[in-house]
Amino acid sequence: MALNKVEICGVNTAKLPLLSNEEKEALFERIKQGDKAARELYIKGNLRLVLSVIKRFGSSNENADDLFQIGCIGLMKAIDNFDSTLNVKFSTYAVPMIIGEIRRYLRDNNSIRVSRSLRDTAYKAIYAREGYLKKNLKEPTINEIAEEIGIAKEDIVYAMDAIQTPMSLYDPVYTEGGDTLYVMDQISDKKNREENWVEVIALNEAVKKLSERERHIIELRFYQGKTQMEVAEEIQISQAQVSRLEKNALKTLRSYLRDV
């Protein structure tokens, strides 16, 4: 796949505009008011994001023009769904959506068919999960599912991934206490180990900015998967206090990571 050419889909990549943060904010305000010209300029000003993303798919046999067009669809979806009040950089929001759109395209155009044995394993795991959820009123871990159906957890993960219907990385998984957990929060990209390593270091540094109680709550909520009610019971405070402390901790983490 040729990614070093100057022109892709008729776009001269050497002459793409660069927008300042002030220009982006002003344009986005106009976009929210229905200004189509502002939307077009905002798209052009962020096409470099699409270019940077499709370089990650350099090992695929897909045509660069095709990937660029699909990436642009992801970019436009990001623009249409971006909430500027969340204090998150647009690029932070857009890149996962562009990646998701390209992966969906590649998966939809993949000629590989899922074997019957993989489907059987996946369906057993789904039924086991539903049964556990009804009985215990909480999501089972992959280990609990594996123990229930007597199949190795690695095989279950592989089978579930094989039958997975493509979805947006920003599809919500669940919302609790005002904070939404998205699909992208549960996905790791093993192809970018160095990038993940840097992000882990940054997150660890950010966690150090929290108070001891806030760190404990973050550990229980997002590393151990406990609900706010379970956390409140464990540390002997009200659920409302847990919610308030959690929101403050997340705000601190976001602020630190945004400035890194």
Side-chain angles (χ1 to χ4, degrees):
M1 180 174 66
L3 288 174
N4 296 320
K5 59 182 182 178
V6 174
E7 188 171 290
I8 297 182
C9 295
V11 177
N12 188 336
T13 60
K15 295 184 178 181
L16 290 174
L18 284 173
L19 301 176
S20 66
N21 289 331
E22 291 75 16
E23 288 174 322
K24 289 180 180 179
E25 291 177 4
L27 283 172
F28 203 79
E29 286 301 316
R30 288 166 54 190
I31 292 171
K32 289 193 292 186
Q33 296 170 11
D35 190 328
K36 294 183 178 180
R39 183 176 183 271
E40 192 68 25
L41 184 55
Y42 200 89
I43 291 171
K44 291 180 179 179
N46 285 280
L47 287 179
R48 293 177 188 273
L49 285 179
V50 179
L51 288 173
S52 67
V53 167
I54 65 175
K55 288 180 180 179
R56 302 187 185 194
F57 298 88
S59 60
S60 76
N61 295 320
E62 293 295 326
N63 183 278
D65 286 5
D66 292 340
L67 292 187
F68 184 76
Q69 290 183 47
I70 299 301
C72 287
I73 293 174
L75 173 63
M76 288 185 283
K77 286 183 178 180
I79 292 173
D80 293 339
N81 292 283
F82 181 59
D83 185 350
S84 58
T85 65
L86 295 177
N87 293 321
V88 175
K89 289 183 179 179
F90 176 75
S91 59
T92 303
Y93 179 84
V95 167
M97 293 197 74
I98 296 170
I99 292 174
E101 199 68 32
I102 292 175
R103 284 179 173 164
R104 183 183 299 111
Y105 167 78
L106 293 175
R107 181 175 293 180
D108 287 347
N109 286 274
N110 193 335
S111 60
I112 296 175
R113 295 291 180 265
V114 181
S115 70
R116 179 61 182 270
S117 61
L118 277 178
R119 288 185 179 276
D120 288 345
T121 297
Y123 294 149
K124 287 178 182 178
I126 291 171
Y127 294 144
R129 172 192 170 275
E130 292 176 349
Y132 185 98
L133 190 58
K134 289 179 181 179
K135 181 179 179 181
N136 300 283
L137 301 180
K138 68 176 184 178
E139 286 285 345
T141 65
I142 188 65
N143 288 328
E144 288 168 333
I145 293 176
E147 184 178 347
E148 175 68 23
I149 63 178
I151 297 176
K153 62 181 181 181
E154 293 81 8
D155 293 338
I156 294 174
V157 172
Y158 182 70
M160 293 298 291
D161 183 66
I163 69 163
Q164 191 67 259
T165 300
M167 63 177 66
S168 168
L169 290 177
Y170 276 81
D171 282 349
V173 178
Y174 70 83
T175 299
E176 183 176 292
D179 294 305
T180 301
L181 179 68
Y182 297 95
V183 172
M184 68 171 293
D185 296 325
Q186 298 184 322
I187 296 176
S188 61
D189 185 357
K190 295 181 180 179
K191 294 182 180 179
N192 296 291
R193 294 179 184 275
E194 182 178 349
E195 181 179 313
N196 287 344
W197 177 66
V198 173
E199 289 177 354
V200 168
I201 291 176
L203 181 58
N204 288 339
E205 289 299 314
V207 170
K208 293 178 182 178
K209 304 294 181 181
L210 304 178
S211 68
E212 184 177 349
R213 172 168 278 187
E214 287 174 336
R215 284 199 300 271
H216 190 199
I217 289 174
I218 293 297
E219 165 71 24
L220 295 174
R221 288 278 289 125
F222 298 100
Y223 290 87
Q224 297 185 25
K226 295 189 176 183
T227 66
Q228 288 186 349
M229 289 298 293
E230 289 173 331
V231 174
E233 183 177 352
E234 179 168 330
I235 64 177
Q236 298 297 302
I237 62 175
S238 70
Q239 185 270 334
Q241 288 176 296
V242 171
S243 177
R244 184 168 59 253
L245 288 166
E246 179 184 316
K247 289 179 180 179
N248 288 338
L250 292 174
K251 182 178 180 181
T252 300
L253 293 176
R254 291 190 188 104
S255 177
Y256 180 86
L257 293 172
R258 189 169 59 246
D259 297 333
V260 171

